[in-house]
Amino acid sequence: MNWLDAAVVIAYLVGMIAFGFWGSRRAQDSSDYLVAGRRLGPMLYTGTMVAVVLGGASAVGGVGLGYKYGLSGFWLVGAIGVGVLILSAVFAPRLQRLKIYTVVQMLTLRYGSESIQVSSIVMLAYTLMLTATSTGAYASIFVVLFGIDRWLAILIGGSIVIIYSTMGGMLSITYADFVQFIIMTVGVFFLMVPFGLSHAGGWGAMHDRLGAEFFSLDGMGFESIITYFVIYTLGLLIGQDVWQRIFTARTPKVAQVGGIGASVYIILFGIAGAVAGMTAAVVLPGIEVRDEVYARIATEMLPAGFGGIALAAAVAAMMSTASGGLIAAATVARTDVMPLLRKVLSGAKPRILNAEEAAEQARDNAAREEDVENDMNRNRIWVLCLGIVTMVLSLLVPDVVAALTIAYDILVGGLLIAIIGGLVWTRGNSAGATWSMITGSLVTLAVMAFLEINAEQRFDGVYANEPIYAGLAVSAIVYIVVSLMTKPTAPDVLAAWQDRSANGVREDEEVVTPA
């Protein structure tokens, strides 16, 4: 590895730590720490939204797919862009007006039931595995770049993410993400694509040397394209890590317009990554492991130093996803999971709430009575502890990708209908949502287990699409049938929800704070 490339990556890592120190001086309260004070403008918001969703699968994986399939390799990142587009254009303004911190808080406000909080367990598992997967991804680059063991790479990279996330929270992460967004832009659009096309002899030469299937948008196969939309588009609609970025927007308009801008950028990023992979197919044929294509382009097709920027762009994509998943996991654990566990241990039974109780359920009485600094310290402890947990998961779990797939399947198959249903169908109620989540999750797990047992025959095991299809179908049927067969949501709860999601939080109304 060229020493100049390594120096560029090291400089980037040092810069991320510096953002942690800067953020620790700027973050004044829990709002700053968890949602960047809810004051991001269009530019910062767009950058941080792009950074959190474009992880290792998008950067490294997208280039590798372009190497193998050509232009159709862009569909993985394209599906992510479509998910951000739908979420931003349709739902983001309403979500921003709620002034909440978590997906589960939205469910509590909408359905007025404590039983909804069970979904927080699934959301926590998803965010933890998302962070662990990203940690393992950038550690693999450090192994190659610095020639160190994987455990040391995880320790170094994970510690850097933990430091800047713990010290400054979302405020540090936001500005770090914006820098990562710039590095990703330069690395892919201004370095990998132009230098790649130059080495390949231009677009015309690529046409002559690559097969026609490389220039077809369905070259990877219709089934694979559908898989990306099922997993990534649907998952992005309800992921805590993405929603938490929406909560950072200054206004509903920023959340909508900035998110739409991010979606356009993401789709263009996917096309650029596929083109970069195609140039490598011409210049560097015979690469067997497609996840190595990105690094091979950076080290063999870019000049010294520029290759370091491209590698830093890949690390930036992975670290931004890891830090976003970490702050999301900490927020869900503290705000939703711990109150649920306290109720379970005390023997309290779930209740149906009125409008005032539904709003109060999401508030943290203890945090309002404590001084701000103690509250900030509690947030930091949660981020630190869960950061250590994700590093341990990266070291101990042999296949974090399989674990993330399971978490994603349960997230979509179990929770999607209840969450989206609550946003679009007023007749949906807490009973329908609760049973929808339970049955959808159980069916998803059952089908997944069946396919894994019979994987040696013709199934893809945990990587198959069937678990999500089955979970979504059962979840939707149960949600509709149970909601229609039971009492509607209490009128005062529904009226309060509609007023809050349409008009926002009034000046005399307390904003939901983390538990």
Side-chain angles (χ1 to χ4, degrees):
M1 171 57 62
N2 184 282
W3 66 268
L4 186 57
D5 290 341
V8 171
V9 175
I10 291 173
Y12 159 75
L13 297 176
V14 172
M16 292 303 99
I17 296 176
F19 274 114
F21 284 97
W22 176 86
S24 67
R25 299 173 64 88
R26 292 287 300 272
Q28 301 297 316
D29 53 30
S30 290
S31 179
D32 283 343
Y33 194 86
L34 298 179
V35 288
R38 306 186 193 275
R39 57 175 178 265
L40 296 192
M43 185 176 295
L44 276 177
Y45 179 83
T46 299
T48 193
M49 179 61 79
V50 166
V52 75
V53 299
L54 287 181
S58 305
V60 176
V63 171
L65 288 171
Y67 182 88
K68 184 174 182 179
Y69 299 109
L71 279 179
S72 69
F74 109 95
W75 282 116
L76 184 152
V77 182
I80 294 174
V82 171
V84 174
L85 176 62
I86 296 172
L87 179 63
S88 301
V90 180
F91 301 116
R94 297 180 65 191
L95 298 177
Q96 192 278 341
R97 283 190 285 264
L98 294 175
K99 296 294 185 289
I100 54 177
Y101 288 85
T102 70
V103 176
V104 178
Q105 287 179 332
M106 167 261 160
L107 291 171
T108 304
L109 290 170
R110 166 60 180 85
Y111 293 112
S113 174
E114 293 180 325
S115 62
I116 293 296
Q117 290 180 316
V118 176
S119 60
S120 62
I121 303 297
V122 175
M123 196 62 72
L124 177 61
Y126 157 73
T127 52
L128 285 175
M129 293 316 305
L130 178 67
T131 307
T133 303
S134 299
T135 300
Y138 60 69
S140 66
I141 290 184
F142 292 165
V143 170
V144 175
L145 185 62
F146 303 118
I148 58 179
D149 292 334
R150 184 174 183 273
W151 69 267
L152 183 58
I154 289 176
L155 181 62
I156 294 173
S159 296
I160 292 171
V161 171
I162 289 174
I163 288 171
Y164 78 76
S165 300
T166 300
M167 295 185 68
M170 185 64 83
L171 204 58
S172 290
I173 291 172
T174 294
Y175 284 91
D177 278 355
F178 190 75
V179 172
Q180 289 163 339
F181 164 69
I182 294 174
I183 294 174
M184 290 160 59
T185 301
V186 173
V188 174
F189 287 97
F190 295 103
L191 293 178
M192 295 185 73
V193 172
F195 277 98
L197 286 172
S198 176
H199 279 283
W203 192 257
M206 289 171 57
H207 261 286
D208 295 336
R209 300 179 63 179
L210 296 175
E213 67 276 7
F214 267 74
F215 298 89
S216 171
L217 289 179
D218 61 353
M220 69 166 51
F222 185 72
E223 184 175 351
S224 296
I225 295 172
I226 291 298
T227 296
Y228 294 139
F229 279 93
V230 169
I231 294 177
Y232 294 108
T233 302
L234 297 182
L236 276 166
L237 293 179
I238 58 175
Q240 169 67 27
D241 53 322
V242 182
W243 278 37
Q244 201 155 337
R245 287 308 199 280
I246 292 175
F247 303 150
T248 66
R250 185 169 59 216
T251 65
K253 194 69 174 178
V254 168
Q256 185 176 57
V257 175
I260 293 173
S263 69
V264 173
Y265 176 96
I266 292 164
I267 292 172
L268 293 176
F269 186 93
I271 296 172
V275 170
M278 292 169 66
T279 66
V282 174
V283 181
L284 303 172
I287 301 176
E288 296 182 358
V289 181
R290 69 185 187 207
D291 284 348
E292 296 179 358
V293 175
Y294 188 104
R296 293 282 298 274
I297 294 175
T299 56
E300 299 181 33
M301 295 172 60
L302 299 184
F306 288 156
I309 295 174
L311 288 173
V315 174
M318 299 168 191
M319 281 193 164
S320 59
T321 300
S323 59
L326 179 56
I327 196 75
T331 306
V332 170
R334 183 185 172 193
T335 305
D336 302 321
V337 175
M338 287 308 298
L340 174 64
L341 292 179
R342 284 195 292 265
K343 289 172 185 174
V344 171
L345 293 176
S346 67
K349 295 182 179 180
R351 298 183 301 118
I352 299 296
L353 310 173
N354 58 36
E356 183 177 350
E357 289 173 328
E360 184 65 25
Q361 182 68 68
R363 299 190 179 103
D364 175 24
N365 294 325
R368 291 202 302 271
E369 296 170 0
E370 293 177 352
D371 62 85
V372 169
E373 186 59 36
N374 285 339
D375 191 49
M376 288 281 289
N377 288 337
R378 290 202 304 170
N379 285 322
R380 290 190 172 104
I381 290 172
W382 274 107
V383 174
L384 174 62
C385 292
L386 289 180
I388 295 172
V389 168
T390 57
M391 283 201 298
V392 173
L393 284 174
S394 297
L395 289 168
L396 297 182
V397 178
D399 191 347
V400 291
V401 175
L404 178 62
T405 300
I406 294 172
Y408 241 123
D409 283 3
I410 299 174
L411 178 73
V412 176
L415 305 189
L416 178 74
I417 298 300
I419 295 172
I420 300 301
L423 292 170
V424 302
W425 191 39
T426 58
R427 185 59 180 84
N429 61 15
S430 62
T434 301
W435 283 107
S436 168
M437 290 189 295
I438 292 173
T439 56
S441 299
L442 291 177
V443 169
T444 300
L445 286 171
V447 175
M448 192 181 300
F450 172 80
L451 296 181
E452 182 64 20
I453 293 173
N454 296 278
E456 70 281 358
Q457 297 178 13
R458 61 183 183 84
F459 301 112
D460 296 325
V462 297
Y463 300 104
N465 292 334
E466 286 80 2
I468 294 182
Y469 297 152
L472 283 173
V474 172
S475 180
I477 293 171
V478 170
Y479 180 71
I480 295 172
V481 171
V482 174
S483 293
L484 292 176
M485 293 180 62
T486 54
K487 293 181 179 179
T489 302
D492 60 337
V493 172
L494 190 59
W497 158 261
Q498 291 174 330
D499 177 66
R500 185 167 183 150
S501 61
N503 303 313
V505 179
R506 299 185 301 273
E507 292 184 2
D508 61 341
E509 183 180 359
E510 293 183 74
V511 174
V512 174
T513 56

